[in-house]
Amino acid sequence: MNANWSYPTAIRFGAGRIAELAEACVAAGIKKPLLITDKGLAAAPITETALVVMDKAGLGRAIFADVDPNPNEANMAAGIAAYKAGGHDGVVAFGGGSGLDLAKMVALMAHQPDGLTVWELEDIGDWWTRADADAIAPIIAVPTTAGTGSEVGRAGVLTNSETQMKKIIFHPKLLPAIVIADPELTVGMPLHITAGTGMDAFAHCLEAYSSPHYHPMSQGIALEGLRLVKDNLLRVYADPNDIEARGEMMSAAAMGATAFQKGLGAIHSLSHPIGAVHHTHHGATNALFMEAVLAFNRPAIEQRIEAAGAYLGLPTGFDSFVAYVTDLKEALNMPKTFGDLGIEDPDIDRLAKMAITDPSCGGNPVELTEAALRDLYAAHL
């Protein structure tokens, strides 16, 4: 389990490869990196390891960690201020989805022309062309969870604190120049984060696989990603030190994010507003809606899901696949209701109005309406 990959970007995969962080920075043309991570990782031993590697190579040990679990434009502004004050020329995106996404936003916006806001670069049509591509700083990505897959993506998710809506910000140059995927960095994850991020990877693969858009490469990647999650998520949940299973889950996470070039769907459309308003864990929120969305989409995906079940070695039939999802969630103590997410009074009418505007709706195999999304929410009260 040691390899160099070039799809979708250069990936240095293997245990212990965090030691190559400084070399990766130099290869990307970064002489003074700013490591950006979330508040929870700021004082973690793995973060100190990364900073020591940078420092020993003469790259300094600058860190910015004022990043919330669902980062917003205030976090971005603070990160940009730190980036400019330190005279940095690139970022090391370190952590889970929040740290990786915020680092991308800092790299994107630090030196854009005055007057251009990040919201003008939302993943809509060709809005990304509004950005000055030459002003985007190089990015090295170091994931420390196995779910989001942001390390291989060309977008970042940022919450608009005024509207309480999550926005997907896109530019091709947000794809990190080099990824260091070191499964040893994930060993210390709390069990609930291991479970939640694993279900996030599963959701990415499942929705990409179910999307009606034509992208056979993504289709195949999504299917194998599902298998890796099936074979390894419960292994790492039972034994957090199983480094082989940790590595397979890191692969599955990267594969899910690569695959969803083909599209996402109702699971993410439902999940994004809840995360923006109630600040829930994204992977656990995705998990909440899986069976209901599978049932809603059944007329369009039944044969495809049956084929996936056969590939995964499950008993024959669509219902068996759904039963597997239920059993997996049960084993991982995933939420079953809004209450399990700590939300006692969700305004599902408001959430449905937000969900129907989410771009993930476009990848759902059955057309979504506000009423349908409200019904899917109502089923989990």
Side-chain angles (χ1 to χ4, degrees):
M1 297 185 68
N2 196 64
N4 292 328
W5 299 332
S6 296
Y7 180 75
T9 188
I11 302 172
R12 303 185 183 195
F13 177 92
R17 296 194 74 170
I18 189 61
E20 301 175 28
L21 176 57
E23 178 191 334
C25 287
V26 173
I30 303 173
K31 297 179 180 179
K32 197 173 183 182
L34 176 63
L35 186 146
I36 298 179
T37 191
D38 61 73
K39 296 172 183 176
L41 281 177
I46 57 173
T47 308
E48 177 63 17
T49 297
L51 292 171
V52 168
V53 171
M54 289 164 47
D55 200 23
K56 285 185 176 180
L59 301 179
R61 47 178 299 124
I63 180 173
F64 174 80
D66 188 13
V67 180
D68 293 321
N70 290 287
N72 57 36
E73 75 278 9
N75 297 147
M76 182 187 72
I80 289 173
Y83 183 89
K84 289 182 174 180
H88 298 289
D89 60 354
V91 300
V92 173
F94 189 92
S98 56
L100 296 178
D101 283 357
L102 199 280
K104 288 179 176 181
M105 296 300 98
V106 171
L108 172 65
M109 296 303 299
H111 294 296
Q112 289 300 323
D114 291 341
L116 181 71
T117 71
V118 70
W119 312 123
E120 294 174 81
L121 304 178
E122 189 177 354
D123 189 13
I124 297 174
D126 65 352
W127 284 18
W128 63 272
T129 61
R130 299 170 177 176
D132 179 355
D134 293 334
I136 301 173
I139 303 164
I140 304 296
V142 185
T144 65
T145 66
T148 173
S150 184
E151 66 272 13
V152 295
R154 301 171 296 167
V157 178
L158 196 68
T159 299
N160 185 318
S161 59
E162 292 186 11
T163 64
Q164 291 188 306
M165 295 184 69
K166 285 191 174 186
K167 298 293 184 178
I168 299 172
I169 310 301
F170 171 85
H171 195 283
K173 286 191 70 174
L174 289 181
L175 182 68
I178 298 173
V179 175
I180 294 179
D182 183 344
E184 290 184 348
L185 301 180
T186 71
V187 169
M189 273 196 295
L191 277 183
H192 73 282
I193 300 297
T194 293
T197 54
M199 292 305 295
D200 194 21
F202 189 85
H204 292 160
C205 292
L206 177 60
E207 292 215 286
Y209 179 75
S210 300
S211 167
H213 302 314
Y214 181 73
H215 198 321
M217 291 177 67
S218 288
Q219 187 82 350
I221 290 169
L223 184 58
E224 177 64 3
L226 289 172
R227 186 192 68 80
L228 289 179
V229 175
K230 175 181 177 292
D231 290 352
N232 294 282
L233 180 52
L234 290 180
R235 280 178 60 185
V236 295
Y237 192 71
D239 179 7
N241 295 311
D242 186 333
I243 198 67
E244 181 178 349
R246 288 283 187 193
E248 298 282 33
M249 284 304 300
M250 287 198 94
S251 296
M255 292 167 74
T258 300
F260 69 57
Q261 296 176 43
K262 184 171 177 278
L264 292 170
I267 291 173
H268 278 78
S269 301
L270 293 161
S271 177
H272 282 155
I274 297 173
V277 174
H278 299 286
H279 311 295
T280 56
H281 186 274
H282 178 61
T285 311
N286 280 339
L288 178 63
F289 299 108
M290 283 186 180
E291 296 100 321
V293 170
L294 282 166
F296 178 80
N297 288 332
R298 184 170 187 162
I301 63 171
E302 183 163 4
Q303 290 185 334
R304 184 173 298 183
I305 292 299
E306 288 177 353
Y311 183 73
L312 299 181
L314 299 174
T316 303
F318 183 91
D319 292 330
S320 294
F321 185 93
V322 176
Y324 161 72
V325 172
T326 299
D327 291 345
L328 177 62
K329 288 172 53 178
E330 185 75 26
L332 297 172
N333 295 306
M334 287 289 102
K336 299 177 182 176
T337 66
F338 277 100
D340 293 340
L341 285 172
I343 304 170
E344 297 304 327
D345 187 25
D347 183 346
I348 63 172
D349 290 323
R350 178 193 180 194
L351 292 175
K353 290 182 184 300
M354 296 169 70
I356 194 61
T357 69
D358 191 278
S360 299
C361 288
N364 201 65
V366 174
E367 185 175 358
L368 290 167
T369 63
E370 185 179 321
L373 289 162
R374 187 191 184 283
D375 288 344
L376 288 166
Y377 280 132
H380 298 86
L381 292 173

